[in-house]
Amino acid sequence: MSRLSVLFADDFEDVSKRFCEYKNLDFSYRTCEKDGSVVLEELYKNPADVVVMDFVMKGIDALGVLERLELMNPLYSPAVIILSGVDSPALKNEFLKKGADFYLRKPVKTETLISKISEIKLNREMNALKPNSESYFEDSEAIITKIMQQFYVPAHVKGYNYLRYAIKICVESPAFKNAITKELYPTVAKNYSVSSESVERSIRTAIDIAWQRGNGDGFSKYFGYNNEVGKKRPTNSEFIARISDEIRIRYNVS
């Protein structure tokens, strides 16, 4: 695996001082202003493998950056190291739940940073050795849930669970995409002990709510349009087929 690229949201001179004595680093680095908006702009223009940022930043804070990274590009997921002067297990857990890889209490030794970046590199190399389909089957529900979050499908409505299960079925058995009404809805209905009509109606309602909210990037990314361009929302069948196809291709599920 090639050297990792690391983006530090910090002063370049300070970062350079950290690493000037270390030879043969297995990563390259650059810096940007300690401002969440700038961090996101930098990653959009030139993605990095690892982002090292302070908990407190101007503009968008580190939690906000993590939330927006989930929506930026479903195929791009940089590792994130958070540096914080706050020793709080609750705050640490919040960052880790949002997708951070490490939460380090300041001051952080340079050797510790190098060690964590090397650990990220090793984990990526190990994951690269695993078949993509294996990665999917190990964590299918989390993968589908993460994509649905990009559409802001409300988790509290019944259609959310029906839709997630329907996508899972179509990923693993694509023939169901060609028999949505006759086979897919009845299969989902049987799993939840409801009628096929209820499944169809609840899924339609869940997609309708997400579409009307208009603040999810998923429609633009996966369908090329959103509710601002005068087109109708994707049908249930279109939505399920598009998302299940994306997952099958991304994880090479056969």
Side-chain angles (χ1 to χ4, degrees):
M1 185 177 182
S2 59
R3 297 170 74 200
L4 293 181
S5 60
V6 183
L7 175 66
F8 287 89
D10 208 343
D11 181 79
F12 181 77
E13 185 175 340
D14 292 340
V15 174
S16 297
K17 286 178 180 178
R18 274 188 177 273
F19 301 116
C20 65
E21 298 178 3
Y22 295 86
K23 308 299 181 184
N24 302 318
L25 291 173
D26 59 356
F27 61 88
S28 61
Y29 62 88
R30 70 183 197 272
T31 63
C32 72
E33 187 180 348
K34 196 183 294 185
D35 181 320
S37 300
V38 176
V39 171
L40 290 167
E41 184 178 353
E42 281 289 325
L43 293 175
Y44 180 80
K45 293 190 298 185
N46 187 13
D49 298 307
V50 184
V51 183
V52 182
M53 57 184 169
D54 203 294
F55 161 48
V56 179
M57 296 190 292
K58 292 190 297 182
I60 302 170
D61 65 12
L63 273 175
V65 171
L66 283 169
E67 291 170 350
R68 286 162 175 78
L69 280 175
E70 284 192 340
L71 302 174
M72 181 183 289
N73 185 334
L75 300 179
Y76 171 57
S77 181
V80 176
I81 299 175
I82 300 295
L83 309 181
S84 174
V86 181
D87 186 12
S88 166
L91 188 60
K92 176 179 180 179
N93 288 336
E94 180 69 14
F95 272 103
L96 296 180
K97 282 197 303 183
K98 289 290 187 181
D101 294 79
F102 298 105
Y103 179 94
L104 306 179
R105 173 76 185 278
K106 296 192 298 185
V108 181
K109 293 182 178 179
T110 302
E111 292 83 355
T112 301
L113 264 180
I114 293 174
S115 173
K116 295 304 182 184
I117 294 171
S118 296
E119 186 175 337
I120 289 168
K121 185 174 189 292
L122 178 61
N123 288 338
R124 289 200 168 195
E125 289 172 340
M126 292 177 64
N127 287 334
L129 296 175
K130 291 193 337 184
N132 284 338
S133 59
E134 182 180 333
S135 300
Y136 165 77
F137 285 109
E138 284 182 358
D139 208 10
S140 59
E141 286 198 8
I143 289 168
I144 295 170
T145 298
K146 186 172 182 179
I147 290 182
M148 286 179 60
Q149 287 173 343
Q150 296 174 39
F151 292 88
Y152 284 60
V153 178
H156 66 278
V157 299
K158 290 184 293 185
Y160 177 90
N161 290 323
Y162 300 164
L163 182 57
R164 185 170 60 181
Y165 189 59
I167 292 170
K168 186 176 188 297
I169 292 172
C170 289
V171 171
E172 298 167 16
S173 302
F176 275 92
K177 294 186 302 178
N178 301 319
I180 296 287
T181 301
K182 291 184 178 181
E183 296 185 23
L184 181 62
Y185 290 156
T187 302
V188 176
K190 182 177 180 180
N191 185 71
Y192 289 96
S193 300
V194 296
S195 68
S196 296
E197 291 76 13
S198 177
V199 168
E200 189 277 334
R201 184 171 56 252
S202 296
I203 289 178
R204 185 174 67 247
T205 297
I207 297 174
D208 273 339
I209 294 172
W211 178 257
Q212 290 164 11
R213 284 178 170 181
N215 56 358
D217 291 341
F219 289 104
S220 296
K221 288 180 179 177
Y222 291 95
F223 294 93
Y225 61 91
N226 55 32
N227 66 356
E228 297 179 351
V229 299
K231 290 189 177 183
K232 292 183 179 179
R233 74 146 176 90
T235 64
N236 290 8
S237 299
E238 290 170 339
F239 190 96
I240 293 168
R242 179 68 183 88
I243 303 309
S244 60
D245 282 346
E246 174 69 24
I247 294 172
R248 285 180 57 80
I249 292 170
R250 188 188 309 179
Y251 289 93
N252 195 27
V253 180
S254 58

